Amino acid sequence: MLKWTIAFLLAGICYACQPIEEQKNNLSTPSPTQQMQDSIQAIYARTDFRQHPYESAKKLVLIEKEIKELGGGLNRRQVFEYVQTLLNAGKTEKAIASILQFIKSLPNSENIHDENRELYEMLAITFLRKAEQENCIENHSEESCILPIQGKGVHIKKDGSTKAIETYETILENYPSDLQSRWLLNIAYMTLGKYPEEVPKKWLIPGLASKESATFPSFRNVAMGLGLDIDALAGGVIAEDFDNDGFIDLMVSSWGMLDQIRFFKNKGDGTFSDQTESSGLVGITGGLNLTQGDFNNDGFVDFAILRGGWKYRTEWGILPNSLIQNNGNGTFTDVTIAAGMYSERPCKTAVWLDFNADGWLDLFVGNESIEGKSRFPCELFANNGDGTFTDIAPKIGMDVVIYSKGVSSADINKDGLPDIYISSLTSANQLYVNRGGSSLEDWRFEEIGAKAGVQNPIHSFPSWFYDFNNDGREDIFVFPFGINAYKNQGGEVGLDYMGMAFKSELPAVYQNNGDETFTNVTKEMGLEKVLHTMGCNYGDLDNDGFLDFYLATGAPDYRAIVPNRMFRNREGKAFEDVTIAGNFGHIQKGHGVAFADLDNDGDQDVYVVMGGSFSGDNAQNALFENPGNENKWVTIQLEGTKTNRSAIGSKIILSVTTSKGEKRKIYNTVSDGASFGCNSLQQEMGLGDAASIDNVEVIWANGSSAAIAYGALEMNQKVKIIEGNSSIEVIPLQKLVLKADGEHQHHHH
């Protein structure tokens, strides 16, 4: 009864957001938002939480009931499962007490060899999680959890890290080659302000606090003062001007099945306001990832919520995605069912593209199939142009069966049609070239992954297309999740920091050769590193006209305390790690990442969703404010008429003359960025030391590959180009000062 009541109440709140006339007409039928909510509640009600790997709070209740019925006397395996669930559910003190009590009851408790080793490792990480909870979360500051831990990030409550150090040192005395424990020991010393001086020499991992580049400015984490430090779990983010007022807003999700999606409106005065309730989003929940595009061409950006994924032994990962329509009046409606998009499949990735260049955005959805166990083909929802979609994937052979983790799209061969790249967790990645057709009946995609040389890494997660060297061709970036090194991420990252051999798969940077083949240039680009990644995105942080990128770690394991990493593009010749110099090395689990100019000052800020997967692994999101630079910039908003209104897939080419009189070209393709996290669809382009923009050209995503020239353009301003108009419209930019020291109410899990 309770579940039904909650669903009804949540849906009722949304119902109250509808216009009165609509309410009258809908008294008998539930609102579209309520219908979706009811469907998710029904799935929630039938979920077996005893087997759920991540909903640990629900699982804990069931385990404690079992223990009560057993009347104690648990064996080692049962104790281990119980303690692990306590930790995963965030009940850290209870987990510590239970492990200590169990260790005490063992006949050879002092011996940490073999069967007791796992218990000591569990104890150590539980102490470290306690330290995080008491310091990074409960006494949160802008410096919390950012490597190297210093200033206000140093722990005030020292008990957790002190006991973690003692336990890790005991483990290392017995297992000196346990690199993960060694890595975590160094981190624990750092949280107490004792790194590197007090770390025993034999266990020291040097260089964790040294800046890789002295020339990159430090970005301050200002989320807290703006009330944007949402304390929740893994999720997605969209940075977008949803109400067309000239200021970028934030839409943020948390992946718990009943976790509320949140909408923060940029008020244009340096502050953000939580408009979740007034926007009709109450009751719209969940989502590990989000992706945006104007599917009905009404000039207001809509978005999709991707809910499922990580389908292991049980059915809990099979959830419907949602299509959320922006009503243009400050409210949103879940239109999934009416649009013909309702589908229960495990999925966390999708990409908007106009595959047949008919002026309407389609959605390619990457689903997760596990060979021999489950079959959930990918979907290609063709836009019918009337607010509805049809899945044509089976008809045209795009119902790909693959463990899809990232999907991205771009035109790799300049034929005017967007192609699709699918990264897979368990097999070779695939590249589908769009061969076109005269109607949906004979449309064709050809898979050329092997021929193109873009199949690695085998255990891939996020991917994106971008032209890293400004040669006018779309390159591919794809990063591994490190499924084999998954439980030993700290150890692998430690080996990398020490310059020693590691087992992790390498990421891949594929440079486009212009003939539907690619060359792997990972080594030349300086990226032969341990870079296990989930969330990610790219942008031009220093406005030099070359795109940089941020990698967020995301691994569920509590021991995966490794920094998220920022890489700066050195003129398309190499990537330089600027994680520490830029203050980006957050050691909580990064997920959705968005690059966007939130304060209209011409440089990009970075918002990151920081929580983990387990229900107790909450953490506050971060917003890194760009301190600015001397380089020039221009922000360009494209509006399609024949092309889809968002102009997704269109390419901007800027011809500039530098201050030294040299000519160069800068390329950007309109998209929301990488496969996990969403940048704004307006193109915020750095120009380096340009003296002038001599010409702006646009290749509109309308099936033609011809560039339309719009002539010269002033720098350091925002403009709008409408397809079919020869003139460029200047949009006044109201620059803001983010009031990052405001006294805001913080939003907790």
Side-chain angles (χ1 to χ4, degrees):
M1 183 64 192
L2 178 67
K3 295 225 171 74
W4 183 84
T5 314
I6 292 169
F8 190 78
L9 283 173
L10 286 171
I13 295 168
C14 300
Y15 176 69
C17 304
Q18 297 175 303
I20 298 295
E21 205 41 54
E22 251 178 71
Q23 288 186 37
K24 278 187 200 149
N25 300 336
N26 285 349
L27 285 178
S28 53
T29 56
S31 71
T33 297
Q34 186 184 335
Q35 288 176 359
M36 272 305 280
Q37 181 63 16
D38 287 349
S39 126
I40 288 164
Q41 287 284 350
I43 294 168
Y44 191 78
R46 67 171 187 256
T47 299
D48 175 6
F49 289 106
R50 182 63 183 84
Q51 300 305 320
H52 201 300
Y54 299 119
E55 282 276 7
S56 315
K58 301 280 292 180
K59 184 174 181 170
L60 182 61
V61 173
L62 299 171
I63 290 179
E64 288 188 331
K65 191 172 161 235
E66 283 171 22
I67 291 171
K68 215 172 187 175
E69 286 162 6
L70 282 169
L74 305 186
N75 63 33
R76 184 184 294 271
R77 189 189 54 74
Q78 289 167 321
V79 168
F80 200 79
E81 186 191 28
Y82 175 50
V83 171
Q84 180 86 59
T85 308
L86 281 168
L87 171 62
N88 292 348
K91 307 287 182 199
T92 315
E93 293 285 4
K94 202 169 176 183
I96 291 167
S98 303
I99 306 178
L100 289 172
Q101 190 186 347
F102 186 68
I103 287 175
K104 210 184 270 179
S105 74
L106 295 172
N108 56 348
S109 62
E110 291 309 301
N111 168 22
I112 90 149
H113 278 282
D114 309 326
E115 74 270 22
N116 292 349
R117 177 181 180 179
E118 217 176 359
L119 285 168
Y120 276 90
E121 275 189 36
M122 173 73 80
L123 182 62
I125 194 60
T126 309
F127 279 133
L128 210 47
R129 180 59 186 164
K130 175 189 163 167
E132 284 182 335
Q133 283 174 322
E134 290 180 342
N135 295 279
C136 297
I137 297 167
E138 287 158 28
N139 288 303
H140 189 61
S141 81
E142 63 181 61
E143 293 180 88
S144 290
C145 270
I146 294 174
L147 207 70
I149 293 157
Q150 56 196 9
K152 287 185 236 163
V154 172
H155 291 189
I156 307 159
K157 296 192 172 177
K158 302 189 183 311
D159 184 56
S161 286
T162 303
K163 293 205 163 100
I165 286 169
E166 285 169 22
T167 316
Y168 280 124
E169 287 183 351
T170 305
I171 293 168
L172 286 163
E173 289 301 339
N174 289 274
Y175 296 96
S177 60
D178 176 353
L179 215 90
Q180 174 139 285
S181 293
R182 184 171 164 187
W183 168 266
L184 293 167
L185 175 74
N186 279 262
I187 298 288
Y189 269 106
M190 197 184 273
T191 65
L192 299 179
K194 297 178 171 182
Y195 174 93
E197 304 78 24
E198 294 186 42
V199 183
K201 285 282 175 284
K202 58 183 170 179
W203 310 133
L204 179 68
I205 296 177
L208 297 186
S210 55
K211 292 190 178 181
E212 321 81 343
S213 151
T215 58
F216 204 79
S218 180
F219 283 55
R220 182 180 160 204
N221 176 13
V222 298
M224 206 172 163
L226 291 164
L228 295 172
D229 57 330
I230 305 164
D231 183 5
L233 303 178
V237 57
I238 300 170
E240 189 57 76
D241 181 2
F242 283 103
D243 52 4
N244 295 346
D245 65 352
F247 303 105
I248 302 279
D249 313 303
L250 291 167
M251 190 73 70
V252 186
S253 70
S254 172
W255 90 313
M257 225 183 279
L258 301 183
D259 289 358
Q260 176 61 50
I261 197 155
R262 307 288 286 278
F263 176 48
F264 291 90
K265 177 176 161 52
N266 185 334
K267 288 174 71 181
D269 61 0
T271 69
F272 286 79
S273 146
D274 187 340
Q275 302 276 317
T276 307
E277 207 160 324
S278 61
S279 63
L281 287 164
V282 172
I284 295 177
T285 58
L288 188 56
N289 199 0
L290 306 169
T291 181
Q292 89 272 32
D294 180 0
F295 78 84
N296 55 5
N297 287 342
D298 67 351
F300 289 92
V301 176
D302 316 293
F303 66 99
I305 303 174
L306 310 167
R307 282 204 178 82
W310 286 130
K311 185 191 172 296
Y312 282 104
R313 300 172 293 282
T314 55
E315 302 307 297
W316 61 269
I318 304 172
L319 290 163
N321 298 324
S322 271
L323 177 64
I324 309 293
Q325 181 176 305
N326 183 342
N327 301 323
N329 60 0
T331 70
F332 297 84
T333 305
D334 190 321
V335 295
T336 315
I337 295 166
M341 259 196 190
Y342 188 91
S343 165
E344 292 178 19
R345 301 190 185 191
C347 158
K348 70 164 67 62
T349 183
V351 64
W352 291 102
L353 73 164
D354 182 2
F355 79 92
N356 56 349
D358 65 352
W360 296 92
L361 281 177
D362 313 297
L363 188 68
F364 181 77
V365 178
N367 293 313
E368 300 182 355
S369 297
I370 301 171
E371 209 174 316
K373 288 186 188 165
S374 62
R375 192 184 158 84
F376 293 99
C378 295
E379 295 155 296
L380 176 53
F381 288 103
N383 192 328
N384 301 322
D386 59 1
T388 69
F389 292 80
T390 305
D391 176 19
I392 62 158
K395 192 179 280 181
I396 68 165
M398 285 306 287
D399 52 343
V400 184
V401 177
I402 189 171
Y403 199 154
S404 172
K405 281 293 173 194
V407 291
S408 31
S409 174
D411 178 4
I412 65 153
N413 52 10
K414 300 189 186 179
D415 65 354
L417 293 172
D419 311 302
I420 295 171
Y421 187 72
I422 307 175
S423 65
S424 164
L425 191 67
T426 53
S427 60
N429 302 322
Q430 299 186 351
L431 176 59
Y432 287 85
V433 175
N434 190 337
R435 297 295 184 208
S438 53
S439 71
L440 292 185
E441 304 304 313
D442 66 358
W443 211 270
R444 221 164 58 78
F445 281 85
E446 183 192 350
E447 203 287 299
I448 63 163
K451 197 167 71 180
V454 294
Q455 292 184 309
N456 286 341
I458 294 303
H459 301 295
S460 297
F461 205 120
S463 67
W464 67 80
F465 283 98
Y466 79 43
D467 180 359
F468 75 87
N469 55 359
N470 279 323
D471 65 355
R473 299 181 189 137
E474 302 281 358
D475 309 302
I476 300 174
F477 284 61
V478 56
F479 286 83
F481 179 56
I483 196 160
N484 297 330
Y486 159 71
K487 288 197 161 73
N488 183 31
Q489 246 196 2
E492 287 284 287
V493 171
L495 284 166
D496 194 12
Y497 268 92
M498 292 189 292
M500 292 162 75
F502 51 79
K503 294 193 182 90
S504 293
E505 266 185 295
L506 291 172
V509 179
Y510 293 115
Q511 186 173 324
N512 189 330
N513 299 325
D515 58 1
E516 294 189 0
T517 71
F518 292 76
T519 302
N520 186 331
V521 294
T522 311
K523 186 177 183 181
E524 293 83 332
M525 289 297 121
L527 290 173
E528 286 192 317
K529 298 175 185 294
V530 178
L531 296 171
H532 302 159
T533 309
M534 267 201 206
C536 58
N537 225 322
Y538 59 81
D540 184 359
L541 289 183
D542 51 4
N543 283 345
D544 65 350
F546 289 94
L547 294 163
D548 316 304
F549 63 85
Y550 191 55
L551 304 177
T553 51
D557 196 296
Y558 274 101
R559 291 166 296 184
I561 300 176
V562 296
N564 295 304
R565 309 273 283 272
M566 184 69 83
F567 288 88
R568 168 205 208 168
N569 186 339
R570 300 304 301 261
E571 301 183 349
K573 297 181 183 76
F575 286 94
E576 173 189 24
D577 190 337
V578 294
T579 304
I580 290 174
N583 191 43
F584 294 111
H586 210 300
I587 53 175
Q588 290 296 331
K589 315 291 178 21
H591 284 87
V593 179
F595 283 66
D597 182 3
L598 293 175
D599 47 6
N600 283 350
D601 62 354
D603 53 48
Q604 293 186 311
D605 313 295
V606 184
Y607 189 84
V608 194
V609 177
M610 298 304 328
S613 299
F614 295 112
S615 48
D617 198 6
N618 54 301
Q620 284 98 333
N621 296 350
L623 169 58
F624 298 102
E625 185 184 3
N626 196 320
N629 55 68
E630 297 301 303
N631 286 330
K632 305 288 196 298
W633 55 273
V634 66
T635 295
I636 300 179
Q637 201 176 346
L638 295 186
E639 185 180 304
T641 51
K642 188 180 171 204
T643 300
N644 69 86
R645 180 119 178 208
S646 299
I648 285 173
S650 301
K651 183 180 281 199
I652 300 169
I653 307 161
L654 301 181
S655 300
V656 305
T657 302
T658 69
S659 58
K660 295 189 181 107
E662 293 160 354
K663 305 282 185 194
R664 67 177 284 210
K665 286 192 174 179
I666 300 165
Y667 297 83
N668 250 30
T669 300
V670 179
S671 87
D672 61 16
S675 68
F676 208 131
C678 297
N679 301 338
S680 162
L681 293 171
Q682 66 177 28
Q683 296 306 294
E684 299 157 351
M685 301 178 67
L687 304 170
D689 69 340
S692 62
I693 302 174
D694 309 323
N695 193 12
V696 181
E697 294 169 277
V698 178
I699 300 173
W700 292 94
N702 56 19
S704 157
S705 48
I708 310 290
Y710 292 89
L713 188 59
E714 291 292 312
M715 298 183 290
N716 295 0
Q717 62 170 351
K718 180 177 177 178
V719 299
K720 183 177 196 173
I721 303 176
I722 300 175
E723 186 180 16
N725 291 9
S726 55
S727 60
I728 295 177
E729 182 189 336
V730 174
I731 298 182
L733 255 191
Q734 189 190 329
K735 192 173 165 181
L736 311 175
V737 175
L738 293 180
K739 295 183 179 157
D741 299 307
E743 288 303 311
H744 276 266
Q745 199 55 45
H746 302 302
H747 304 283
H748 291 291
H749 175 54

